[in-house]
Amino acid sequence: MSRATTTLPGDPPGGRRAVAVWSIGVAVYFVAVIFRTSLGVAGLDAADRFHVNASALSTFSILQLLVYAGMQIPVGLLVDRLGTKKVLCLGAVLFTAGQLGFAFSPSYGTALASRALLGCGDAMTFISVLRLGTRWFPARRGPFVAQLAGLVGMAGNLVSTLVLARLLHGLGWTPAFAGSALAGVVVLVLTLLFLKDHPEGHEPAPFPHQGAAYVRRQIAEAWREPGTRLGMWVHFTTQFPAMVFLLLWGLPFLVQAQGLSRATAGELLTLVVLSNMVIGLVYGQVVARHHAARLPLALGTVTATAVMWALTLAWPGAHAPMTLLLVLCVVLGACGPASMLGFDFARPANPPERQGTASGITNMGGFIASMTTLFAIGVLLDATGDDYSIAFSAVFVLQALGLTQILRLRGRAARRERERLVASRVETVHVPAA
């Protein structure tokens, strides 16, 4: 294959400097994920500390994700306009303040406000990291770089399940959460001192102020692309089963419904994270080499997840066997990498100046699904007297909705992507030699 077909004119060079700068941005995302998922290992402690039931407990994560999802398009627009460094710095300030506030919250209301602030800062990280990758690495490396960012985020989840959980049970609520907030200060300083939006010689075009009309046009044009909408629905359908499990309901399900100890349940949550990291590397390499594998991987992940949940929830005994729970957790680990495939549909559907907005729309999908499922499970648990089999059946409803939309949009998105590819090849052929 000729280089013209894999490297576009004006592609950034990549290299060690790109890795170093990108790593700083990913470190901010890493810390944000630690803070985001910290409630997943503290759900039972939070219920005791604030004297709340399942519905009220789920409100912590629902509010956090509501803010996160609602911020995605504004953050995408901010990244397109202000650049990565400013948005990441603001995000680090907000999520660090939220984690500190949660550490010292004396009441349920102040704790809710702290999680909302954390969600606002968290919302500014991942889209910024995606933009940083497109500014510093060649386009052909896009799928692998995005999957690698997601893998580092899951490492943050691993810190929550291993390190923060032990700090929480060893030191107590306030020292554990306040101590973890120091990581936010560290990445903020690193970002201020060392992060650059783009390599020299690859400055984006000037960005004139165009007001509300420009904002509406950016959103409308991104949404009109079938690839953007397909990416959003892929993200919607694939991400939420693992997100709901890790963010809040996995530990209570394993302890209360499956009769496991907290230690064993924590090990299963860790298995989800480790599986995510391994599968993320595999998915990234496969898609980088075989672009057509995106949809089969996404649909295969949805199918495997639905099958494993059905077997687990329908198991005739009082508790599902450990082997089945192990396989369930391994399969849930594929949900995060599969959700990253959504960005691989949105990215080629939009020009560079609209990447942040398109990524924001895509990233809303999984978090809207997660928020809806978190709420549904909490309500169903309260309504059924903690019947987890009924409550977790909400997963199938959201999967069916998302799958319907994916199948509806896949043909249009594929045709539009082929048209863009042909147009780019024609443009590349006519680029004069330097």
Side-chain angles (χ1 to χ4, degrees):
M1 182 178 291
S2 68
R3 186 171 177 80
T5 61
T6 58
T7 304
L8 299 177
D11 253 1
R16 293 181 179 178
R17 179 110 190 276
V19 172
V21 173
W22 177 81
S23 296
I24 295 171
V26 172
V28 180
Y29 175 56
F30 172 78
V31 174
V33 174
I34 295 175
F35 293 177
R36 179 202 302 170
T37 58
S38 58
L39 189 60
V41 296
L44 297 176
D45 300 87
D48 292 337
R49 179 179 176 86
F50 300 112
H51 310 291
V52 294
N53 61 13
S55 296
L57 181 61
S58 67
T59 303
F60 278 123
S61 297
I62 291 167
L63 179 61
Q64 182 180 334
L65 294 184
L66 177 63
V67 172
Y68 187 105
M71 287 289 294
Q72 288 309 292
I73 292 178
V75 167
L77 291 164
L78 282 175
V79 171
D80 285 339
R81 179 167 180 79
L82 301 180
T84 299
K85 182 171 184 174
K86 292 179 180 177
V87 177
L88 276 178
C89 286
L90 179 58
V93 169
L94 292 176
F95 66 60
T96 302
Q99 188 78 340
L100 274 174
F102 198 57
F104 294 101
S105 292
S107 67
Y108 178 67
T110 54
L112 274 178
S114 297
R115 295 307 285 187
L117 188 63
L118 193 158
C120 187
D122 182 17
M124 298 183 176
T125 59
F126 188 64
I127 293 176
S128 298
V129 170
L130 287 179
R131 166 52 67 91
L132 201 63
T134 62
R135 291 294 188 195
W136 281 90
F137 293 96
R140 68 183 185 279
R141 304 301 298 165
F144 180 72
V145 169
Q147 287 286 359
L148 195 57
L151 184 151
V152 174
M154 288 309 298
N157 203 327
L158 193 62
V159 170
S160 291
T161 58
L162 294 179
V163 180
L164 189 59
R166 292 180 181 177
L167 289 175
L168 183 65
H169 297 130
L171 301 177
W173 183 278
T174 299
F177 280 99
S180 67
L182 293 175
V185 177
V186 172
V187 294
L188 174 61
V189 172
L190 289 174
T191 303
L192 286 169
L193 293 179
F194 300 113
L195 192 135
K196 287 177 62 70
D197 285 338
H198 48 75
E200 294 178 7
H202 292 269
E203 294 81 2
F207 197 111
H209 177 70
Q210 298 178 7
Y214 169 80
V215 171
R216 289 193 296 270
R217 186 166 62 252
Q218 280 282 90
I219 296 171
E221 290 177 354
W223 181 255
R224 272 199 294 269
E225 290 291 343
T228 304
R229 283 176 282 145
L230 178 59
M232 186 197 74
W233 283 109
V234 167
H235 200 269
F236 177 101
T237 314
T238 54
Q239 186 203 48
F240 79 93
M243 176 69 71
V244 167
F245 197 78
L246 291 170
L247 199 60
L248 183 61
W249 290 122
L251 188 69
F253 169 76
L254 294 171
V255 173
Q256 296 176 349
Q258 299 302 320
L260 303 180
S261 67
R262 280 196 178 207
T264 304
E267 290 170 357
L268 287 176
L269 293 179
T270 302
L271 178 60
V272 177
V273 177
L274 292 174
S275 172
N276 183 300
M277 297 171 73
V278 173
I279 294 174
L281 286 174
V282 174
Y283 278 19
Q285 292 287 359
V286 169
V287 174
R289 289 173 168 78
H290 308 285
H291 211 49
R294 293 170 301 169
L295 197 59
L297 286 175
L299 295 177
T301 302
V302 173
T303 302
T305 305
V307 168
M308 291 312 304
W309 266 121
L311 290 174
T312 302
L313 297 178
W315 191 261
H319 305 305
M322 179 57 70
T323 302
L324 183 57
L325 294 177
L326 287 169
V327 177
L328 170 67
C329 290
V330 170
V331 171
L332 286 176
C335 291
S339 72
M340 298 297 297
L341 300 173
F343 298 101
D344 291 324
F345 288 103
R347 188 184 302 111
N350 292 274
E353 64 272 14
R354 214 164 58 216
Q355 289 292 321
T357 305
S359 295
I361 293 172
T362 300
N363 209 28
M364 284 177 62
F367 289 93
I368 290 174
S370 298
M371 179 178 59
T372 304
T373 310
L374 283 167
F375 175 73
I377 290 174
V379 170
L380 289 170
L381 284 174
D382 285 339
T384 61
D386 291 339
D387 189 326
Y388 280 88
S389 294
I390 295 176
F392 270 85
S393 295
V395 169
F396 304 122
V397 177
L398 274 293
Q399 284 184 319
L401 172 62
L403 189 59
T404 300
Q405 296 301 317
I406 291 171
L407 296 176
R408 184 177 69 86
L409 289 165
R410 61 177 179 170
R412 274 180 281 174
R415 286 193 298 272
R416 180 71 172 137
E417 191 169 308
R418 284 195 297 269
E419 292 169 1
R420 281 186 174 275
L421 181 60
V422 170
S424 67
R425 284 175 175 170
V426 171
E427 183 179 335
T428 301
V429 168
H430 288 88
V431 171

